[in-house]
Amino acid sequence: MSDDDTETTRTDVDVDDVDVEGERTAGFSTDFGSSDIADDESNQGLFDDLLSGEPIFENKEVLRPSYTPHELPHRSDQINKMATILVAALRGETPSNILIYGKTGTGKTASAKFVSKELESTSQKYSVPCDVEYINCEVTDTQYRVLAQLANKFIEKNEARITDRIETLESLRADVDDYDDAGARSTDDGSDLFGDVATDGTPGRASNDPNETGSTGDDIDFASTESPVETEGSTGDAAADDRELPLDHPLASTPFASRSELEDRIDELEADRDSFEEVPMTGWPTDRVYSVFFDAVDYDERVVVIMLDEIDKLVEKSGDDTLYNLSRMNSELENSRVSIIGISNDLKFTDFLDPRVKSSLGEEEIVFPPYDANQLRDILQHRSDVAFKEGALSDDVIPLCAAFAAQEHGDARRALDLLRTAGELAERAQTETIVEEHVRQAQDKIELDRVVEVVRTLPTQSKLVLFSIILLEKNGVHSINTGEVFNIYKRLCEEIDADVLTQRRVTDLISELDMLGIVNAVVVSKGRYGRTKEISLSVPLEETEAVLLSDSRLSDIDDIQPFVQARFEN
């Protein structure tokens, strides 16, 4: 049958399967109005329009604070100083402890992480055991949590290394079994089991000279796979000199004289792995947590660098006990050595430390100065080359972002946030180029986000005072004084059944709001009537009110508006 005949037949079948009224027969429907196709068409448009435009970003993650770049402009001096201190770890020595100071966004954390990454990669290159652990003390802010997190990380590393060693030894055991099987077959055939002889003609005994070839089948480097704890109790060089094994035996030039010794070592490693117990985040005595951490660190011979970011937050909340314990560990450790890198925004936090902790912790100090506008421009240019598609930025975007950030003590993090937010606003507007207007919109948005976060985290009493000021401004009151705020505040406290503070305390809360930049409070003289504060709102009214009303306690206030209005009419 020809292809034309086949097509005709198929057409005839399709036609016959459908009746004249278009109803569904033989599994085929012509009612497209109720089909999935119609549903797909009706659902199109929600994201398709947003995806239709060309994206501006090539890699947005480059502009986030969590990203560690491969190059840090204008921080080479600080990076080189850290490297000259930490290079001792690559020699198997204990590096000096380092304290890094600098304001927010000056590259402290990024530089420390960059150096740490280089240190770990170089240690692997030269087979020098070195571990770097990073702890953010703003999140992990108690001694228990810091020690528990460090203990669990080192337990995880130890278990992984032990598993690797067990796999290596099990592979060696398999080679021994294969060798023994081959020897048994050779014996059955009448051949000589100890057919290999040493180069000097002496039969059988294996040499421990690492320069001799043919010692093992898999060339296992036991020097790099076994810790000092692992080699303890195994056969040493003296025992190895007394044993006699063929040159091609898998155990030749290894610490094991027999398969049973190899089995014993595997059993020991498995017992070590099973002995590790993960520390819960709560519930244990702190001294027990420290003991587990100590044992986990000291299991292997290595140099450990512990990086404590926002270290001042840890001291502020938990005192200096953690730093004292960590800085004194080296006097008790047998196999490993510990070095500490502390990172802080507060140049004076060491004033609150015990003198002994201060002397041991601050062996080396590195200060990160703020960036100027030109340096911020270089940083933004360096990141934007990777973050955006070619031609996505107008010429005035990066200088404007740098200028805005330079006004806020040279904060590179703020500059990167501005550039990223400007790109997001441009992308949402489906424009192909980021322009100056997008940067100004991003500046307003970031400032509003900051205000929203500050207002959201205010204590209830401060929220009530701020809400009183908002209600007064909404009702047209200008140059608000403290007495007017206090009168509205008392009524709000009654509405939500909150304690009423004294007027002096309310005045203090207004001063705190002024310090946060939420209100503007100016002391003015009223002549013989004394002095008072004239208060005005410094943040967007509607957005601030919405944040306050999102608080479950303040959301119940619904009948205070008429009271305020009536009060002003009187």
Side-chain angles (χ1 to χ4, degrees):
M1 183 183 291
S2 67
D3 290 340
D4 292 336
D5 293 336
T6 304
E7 285 297 318
T8 302
T9 304
R10 288 173 182 164
T11 304
D12 292 339
V13 172
D14 291 343
V15 171
D16 291 341
D17 286 342
V18 184
D19 66 7
V20 293
E21 295 180 359
E23 293 183 357
R24 186 176 185 274
T25 58
F28 185 83
S29 172
T30 58
D31 185 11
F32 293 105
S34 61
S35 68
D36 292 339
I37 297 175
D39 291 338
D40 291 341
E41 291 177 352
S42 64
N43 288 333
Q44 287 181 355
L46 180 59
F47 290 104
D48 295 278
D49 291 341
L50 298 174
L51 292 171
S52 61
E54 283 292 322
I56 289 177
F57 291 100
E58 189 75 45
N59 182 5
K60 190 189 295 186
E61 298 305 311
V62 172
L63 300 176
R64 297 193 182 277
S66 57
Y67 176 77
T68 302
H70 300 295
E71 181 182 349
L72 287 157
H74 307 292
R75 285 295 177 254
S76 57
D77 290 344
Q78 289 80 8
I79 288 173
N80 289 334
K81 186 173 181 180
M82 270 191 278
T84 56
I85 297 169
L86 294 175
V87 71
L90 299 176
R91 302 190 185 105
E93 304 166 357
T94 307
S96 298
N97 296 324
I98 306 173
L99 278 182
I100 299 173
Y101 299 104
K103 292 184 177 180
T104 302
T106 52
K108 305 182 301 297
T109 302
S111 298
K113 285 185 174 180
F114 174 80
V115 174
S116 300
K117 189 181 294 185
E118 288 290 313
L119 178 66
E120 286 192 305
S121 62
T122 308
S123 70
Q124 293 173 3
K125 177 181 177 182
Y126 292 101
S127 299
V128 178
C130 180
D131 290 331
V132 180
E133 291 300 336
Y134 172 85
I135 300 285
N136 186 344
C137 296
E138 190 166 19
V139 179
T140 311
D141 57 356
T142 65
Q143 181 180 6
Y144 186 102
R145 291 177 183 174
V146 169
L147 295 176
Q149 186 170 329
L150 287 171
N152 290 335
K153 284 185 176 181
F154 283 107
I155 286 173
E156 183 179 347
K157 286 177 179 288
N158 291 342
E159 289 175 341
R161 288 174 177 171
I162 291 173
T163 299
D164 289 342
R165 291 168 187 162
I166 290 175
E167 290 176 354
T168 301
L169 296 180
E170 286 177 341
S171 175
L172 179 61
R173 181 175 60 185
D175 292 342
V176 172
D177 291 340
D178 292 342
Y179 184 90
D180 291 344
D181 291 342
R185 288 194 297 271
S186 299
T187 304
D188 292 339
D189 295 339
S191 58
D192 186 4
L193 175 60
F194 298 97
D196 291 333
V197 295
T199 54
D200 60 356
T202 305
R205 196 166 63 85
S207 171
N208 288 303
D209 186 354
N211 295 320
E212 292 192 20
T213 59
S215 59
T216 64
D218 295 328
D219 294 329
I220 299 171
D221 184 5
F222 285 92
S224 63
T225 60
E226 295 196 10
S227 68
V229 179
E230 183 171 321
T231 56
E232 184 179 329
S234 63
T235 57
D237 291 337
D241 289 338
D242 292 336
R243 72 174 185 244
E244 292 189 0
L245 291 171
L247 288 175
D248 62 343
H249 196 284
L251 294 182
S253 295
T254 72
F256 307 105
S258 65
R259 188 183 188 282
S260 62
E261 288 187 5
L262 179 60
E263 286 278 7
D264 291 342
R265 186 58 196 145
I266 293 175
D267 292 341
E268 290 175 13
L269 288 172
E270 289 176 343
D272 286 347
R273 185 174 59 184
D274 294 339
S275 68
F276 291 118
E277 183 178 4
E278 184 175 344
V279 180
M281 294 315 293
T282 57
W284 282 12
T286 305
D287 57 347
R288 181 182 176 189
V289 179
Y290 176 79
S291 177
V292 171
F293 162 64
F294 184 94
D295 293 340
V297 170
D298 208 33
Y299 181 78
D300 269 342
E301 181 178 350
R302 56 188 161 192
V303 176
V304 174
V305 179
I306 299 174
M307 194 186 309
L308 299 174
D309 201 357
E310 307 285 357
I311 190 174
D312 50 298
K313 304 293 184 185
L314 176 64
V315 174
E316 180 182 326
K317 182 165 183 178
S318 303
D320 56 9
D321 290 346
T322 310
L323 302 182
Y324 181 82
N325 289 330
L326 292 177
S327 62
R328 298 287 170 176
M329 280 184 69
N330 288 329
S331 61
E332 302 174 3
L333 291 169
E334 295 181 1
N335 299 312
S336 61
R337 290 291 177 265
V338 173
S339 177
I340 302 170
I341 299 178
I343 304 173
S344 173
N345 300 327
D346 186 0
L347 295 172
K348 297 182 179 181
F349 96 95
T350 54
D351 295 345
F352 304 101
L353 296 178
D354 183 285
R356 294 169 298 175
V357 178
K358 186 176 180 179
S359 63
S360 61
L361 187 64
E363 293 173 338
E364 298 282 352
E365 295 185 354
I366 303 174
V367 178
F368 280 65
Y371 294 108
D372 60 32
N374 291 329
Q375 291 173 334
L376 289 172
R377 190 180 303 181
D378 292 340
I379 293 170
L380 292 177
Q381 188 64 57
H382 186 263
R383 298 281 187 102
S384 65
D385 292 341
V386 183
F388 295 101
K389 292 185 178 296
E390 188 175 353
L393 295 175
S394 63
D395 294 338
D396 52 357
V397 167
I398 287 180
L400 186 58
C401 288
F404 277 140
Q407 294 173 1
E408 303 207 8
H409 59 257
D411 189 342
R413 191 175 301 173
R414 177 62 177 265
L416 292 168
D417 283 344
L418 263 177
L419 187 57
R420 177 179 53 80
T421 305
E424 290 172 347
L425 293 173
E427 202 168 53
R428 290 169 195 169
Q430 296 188 344
T431 59
E432 297 180 356
T433 307
I434 305 170
V435 296
E436 178 183 336
E437 181 59 29
H438 293 130
V439 178
R440 297 191 181 278
Q441 291 174 6
Q443 170 80 345
D444 294 339
K445 182 179 184 299
I446 290 174
E447 184 61 28
L448 179 60
D449 291 345
R450 184 193 72 82
V451 170
V452 166
E453 182 61 22
V454 170
V455 172
R456 188 182 63 80
T457 55
L458 285 174
T460 301
Q461 291 289 350
S462 296
K463 287 182 178 179
L464 289 170
V465 173
L466 179 57
F467 200 16
S468 303
I469 298 170
I470 289 175
L471 289 174
L472 288 164
E473 285 214 353
K474 283 181 67 177
N475 286 273
V477 181
H478 303 289
S479 301
I480 303 168
N481 60 51
T482 307
E484 291 171 328
V485 174
F486 183 68
N487 288 334
I488 304 299
Y489 159 79
K490 286 193 297 183
R491 179 61 188 272
L492 291 176
C493 289
E494 294 173 3
E495 289 286 330
I496 68 169
D497 194 23
D499 294 335
V500 179
L501 302 178
T502 63
Q503 185 165 342
R504 179 182 292 275
R505 180 63 185 132
V506 169
T507 302
D508 293 339
L509 294 179
I510 292 173
S511 299
E512 292 177 8
L513 294 173
D514 181 27
M515 186 176 62
L516 291 170
I518 298 174
V519 302
N520 183 30
V522 181
V523 178
V524 295
S525 175
K526 296 293 185 179
R528 63 193 180 96
Y529 297 104
R531 296 190 304 170
T532 186
K533 280 186 177 179
E534 288 190 351
I535 306 157
S536 60
L537 206 60
S538 300
V539 293
L541 189 148
E542 293 183 0
E543 289 84 351
T544 307
E545 183 182 19
V547 176
L548 290 174
L549 291 175
S550 66
D551 188 314
S552 58
R553 295 195 68 183
L554 274 64
S555 62
D556 296 334
I557 300 174
D558 55 1
D559 60 346
I560 199 68
Q561 192 82 1
F563 163 77
V564 175
Q565 188 66 40
R567 174 181 177 278
F568 296 139
E569 290 174 356
N570 292 335

